Amino acid sequence: MKFNWKLEDKSVCYKRLKMWWDEHDAFGSNHIPYNSVPNRVFTVSVDLEDGEVDLYSVAIIITDTDICWVGWITSNPFCKETKYKVGALKYLYNIISIVMKSQGFESIVSHAKLSGLMNALENSGFELVEPQTNFYIKNL
């Protein structure tokens, strides 16, 4: 499967994220407020016969240090064909790592509690540094 990626500003993707969150019933139907969503949202997609389909979006939270955070990993609940998603998140994590390193960040951290997300992190070079809280870090 050939994946595409894009780096979006929240002004472009917030409406889509809200639709996905609603469908997932994420956050108890309380959306993350617009002003709380970071301006860096990476999205991975795939080209199908019907056109391009977004698969996952991952917000990246930057800090005033050389560490950035993975936030709000969201999958497209309307894409029912899971075969299209296989490998997409690993691909996106690798792209995020390259881009964030090019922007001067030295490490990226994440917290995950779902086994699929944990596997994608580990398969992308993240190390589980705190098993009690499923806290991961990757040196860029």
Side-chain angles (χ1 to χ4, degrees), residues 17-138:
L17 288 171
K18 281 180 30 176
M19 283 188 344
W20 289 6
W21 295 334
D22 284 344
E23 190 66 20
H24 282 299
D25 196 25
F27 314 113
S29 296
N30 293 315
H31 299 126
I32 298 166
Y34 179 82
N35 288 336
S36 298
V37 175
N39 281 324
R40 287 176 178 85
V41 180
F42 288 82
T43 299
V44 61
S45 63
V46 64
D47 289 323
L48 302 176
E49 291 177 13
D50 302 1
E52 186 177 32
V53 175
D54 293 330
L55 302 173
Y56 292 97
S57 287
V58 177
I60 299 298
I61 302 163
I62 60 167
T63 68
D64 60 356
T65 70
D66 62 0
I67 297 172
C68 56
W69 289 78
V70 172
W72 306 300
I73 305 154
T74 309
S75 67
N76 179 350
F78 302 104
C79 179
K80 302 299 183 192
E81 291 287 338
T82 57
K83 67 181 179 183
Y84 299 131
K85 294 181 180 179
V86 174
L89 199 50
K90 177 183 176 185
Y91 168 84
L92 190 58
Y93 282 142
N94 288 330
I95 294 295
I96 291 168
S97 296
I98 292 166
V99 171
M100 298 314 291
K101 181 175 182 156
S102 76
Q103 293 181 5
F105 292 91
E106 296 293 325
S107 300
I108 189 167
V109 294
S110 184
H111 173 269
K113 61 182 177 180
L114 299 175
S115 62
L117 297 178
M118 293 164 56
N119 288 336
L121 287 166
E122 290 171 9
N123 290 333
S124 303
F126 284 79
E127 291 183 46
L128 178 62
V129 294
E130 177 47 57
Q132 297 296 328
T133 60
N134 297 333
F135 186 79
Y136 290 83
I137 191 164
K138 180 177 182 180

